[in-house]
Amino acid sequence: MQSKLYIGIMSGTSLDGIDLVLVSFNSPKPSLLRSKLVPFPASLQRELRLLAEPGNNEVERIGPVENQLAECYAIGVQQLLKQANYQPEQISAIGCHGQTIRHRPKQPQPFTVQLGNMHLLAALTGIRVIADFRRKDMAYGGQGAPLVPAFHQAVFAKRGQNRVVVNIGGIANISLLGADGAITGYDTGPGNCLMDDWVSLHRKLPFDKDGAFSAEGKLLPDLLQRLLEDHYFQQSAPKSTGREYFHLDWLQQKLTGREAAADVQRTLCRFTAVSIANELQLPNLTEVFICGGGVHHPLLMADLQQLLEPATVQSSSEAGIEPDWVEAIAFAWLAQAFDRQQPGNVPAVTGARKACVLGIEYRP
């Protein structure tokens, strides 16, 4: 019987590391067999942050970074397989998202760029790689994002019940799963990216662990209003965004310079919550499942619960999918969809003219 074991690799806009999962699709619901987080080497993380914004000599800088990413991905795959006691030949394929450094779906010539030398990844692991998932959707007029709603529908939807899945990574995206089977979804705006950048600037920490920095501050209503006035929040769906838009320079333009650092952090937390909640004013909404790093921020979760009452805001683990691994599992699922020649996009979400099989195959 053909193997139904897939590896999913996701490294998102938060740049906190590489998520790897080993997933079995031998039953209707994917089964997570093993998971692993591989931190980025500091020098590679620094270069990826710089490449996420326009800079000098980018082509020369991108080449080595693509190879370094593939090497990091491959090391993670090898460690994952060793820990799970599997061999490369037992794995059907790796679904690898790559590292996004540009996403420009609204330009006259729309484009998206995910880094990673996938030929090298296939050569180093001895496993087929399915990657480059976004550009096929864009070729048919879509935004190329978000792609996870198709997976969310497959594993979280419940007939007769309105549900929402919110992924809070660097950027936050939502999947609205209608009681009638309809699905929509899009990026709501910043997730953790601005909070991460701000705490890094003022506390030299990679992220606001347990929301401690946010909890020190008080909400600044005027700043919150200025943040919410950005034109991105007035756009209608489909829409998508990234760190190349919501970054420290964007934030600094909204500040007077007189704000206390902790107060800004508290306001950024509320900003993420409000920009998500504003999109979830649905009739008879009963359950909101949160996944991604944001699920570990107690103040952010409390803000969301307050804003979305009477709906229940809970971790995706309550639906049987661990929140830290949802996106990586989604790209394993997209690799399986490629092998089965099933569409991986949802035109109602991305705006594409048609549903299509996503990805390109790279053989070892």
Side-chain angles (χ1 to χ4, degrees):
M1 185 176 71
Q2 184 181 9
S3 169
K4 293 185 179 180
L5 300 177
Y6 287 78
I7 289 173
I9 303 178
M10 177 67 191
S11 53
T13 52
S14 61
L15 287 172
D16 55 353
I18 303 163
D19 293 335
L20 299 104
V21 293
L22 176 61
V23 184
S24 169
F25 291 98
N26 286 312
S27 59
K29 197 169 206 177
S31 175
L32 177 63
L33 303 181
R34 199 80 185 190
S35 59
K36 184 173 184 62
L37 172 65
V38 177
F40 282 118
S43 59
L44 178 57
Q45 184 185 59
R46 186 165 51 250
E47 190 62 22
L48 288 169
R49 287 189 185 279
L50 291 172
L51 284 169
E53 299 179 33
N56 296 322
N57 207 20
E58 290 180 327
V59 173
E60 287 289 340
R61 291 158 54 205
I62 282 173
V65 165
E66 288 217 281
N67 289 342
Q68 291 171 51
L69 269 172
E71 290 165 358
C72 287
Y73 291 155
I75 290 170
V77 168
Q78 291 158 0
Q79 292 175 347
L80 184 75
L81 290 178
K82 183 177 181 180
Q83 291 171 3
N85 198 27
Y86 281 91
Q87 299 300 314
E89 55 269 22
Q90 295 177 271
I91 309 303
S92 289
I94 297 169
C96 184
H97 173 265
Q99 184 63 50
T100 299
I101 61 165
R102 289 291 190 286
H103 188 66
R104 306 292 197 201
K106 290 287 191 179
Q107 291 193 355
Q109 292 291 335
F111 70 96
T112 188
V113 179
Q114 284 76 44
L115 299 186
N117 184 339
M118 301 303 166
H119 286 292
L120 181 57
L121 176 58
L124 291 173
T125 60
I127 302 170
R128 295 166 54 244
V129 176
I130 313 299
D132 195 6
F133 292 101
R134 299 193 183 277
R135 291 195 295 174
K136 182 71 169 287
D137 181 85
M138 294 183 81
Y140 283 97
Q143 297 257 326
L147 296 182
V148 290
F151 171 71
H152 289 163
Q153 184 179 44
V155 299
F156 288 101
K158 186 174 182 180
R159 179 67 68 167
Q161 195 171 86
N162 287 324
R163 285 181 160 185
V164 172
V165 181
V166 184
N167 177 66
I168 309 178
I171 297 297
N173 57 68
I174 57 174
S175 298
L176 310 175
L177 309 174
D180 59 356
I183 176 174
T184 57
Y186 49 90
D187 291 346
T188 58
N192 303 312
C193 64
L194 293 176
M195 289 189 285
D196 289 350
D197 287 349
W198 191 251
V199 75
S200 176
L201 179 66
H202 289 277
R203 295 291 174 89
K204 309 303 180 191
L205 297 171
F207 63 96
D208 188 8
K209 183 174 175 58
D210 298 325
F213 190 26
S214 300
E216 291 179 21
K218 65 178 185 296
L219 184 65
L220 301 175
D222 290 345
L223 174 58
L224 178 60
Q225 184 59 38
R226 289 196 297 275
L227 297 174
L228 290 168
E229 286 172 353
D230 188 89
H231 71 89
Y232 182 79
F233 304 108
Q234 320 312 320
Q235 294 177 28
S236 57
K239 60 180 181 177
S240 54
T241 189
R243 184 182 282 275
E244 70 279 0
Y245 186 90
F246 289 106
H247 49 67
L248 270 181
D249 287 345
W250 178 90
L251 174 60
Q252 298 281 11
Q253 294 169 18
K254 313 291 184 182
L255 302 177
T256 65
R258 298 186 297 273
E259 300 90 351
D263 293 347
V264 173
Q265 187 75 359
R266 174 65 186 100
T267 305
L268 289 173
C269 174
R270 187 72 172 189
F271 171 48
T272 291
V274 172
S275 60
I276 292 169
N278 282 350
E279 305 298 328
L280 301 186
Q281 304 308 312
L282 305 175
N284 303 315
L285 177 61
T286 58
E287 291 183 290
V288 178
F289 295 102
I290 310 294
C291 57
V295 77
H296 302 297
H297 194 301
L299 193 53
L300 176 58
M301 292 291 284
D303 279 354
L304 285 167
Q305 182 62 75
Q306 180 190 37
L307 292 164
L308 293 170
E309 292 284 2
T312 300
V313 176
Q314 57 197 322
S315 166
S316 63
S317 61
E318 298 298 321
I321 305 289
E322 287 302 310
D324 292 322
W325 310 111
V326 170
E327 278 205 298
I329 296 171
F331 284 93
W333 182 86
L334 281 168
Q336 185 214 202
F338 175 91
D339 282 351
R340 298 174 68 177
Q341 288 296 285
Q342 294 178 340
N345 63 336
V346 179
V349 170
T350 66
R353 294 188 295 274
K354 60 179 280 188
C356 46
V357 177
L358 305 181
I360 294 175
E361 180 184 54
Y362 301 79
R363 287 186 172 272

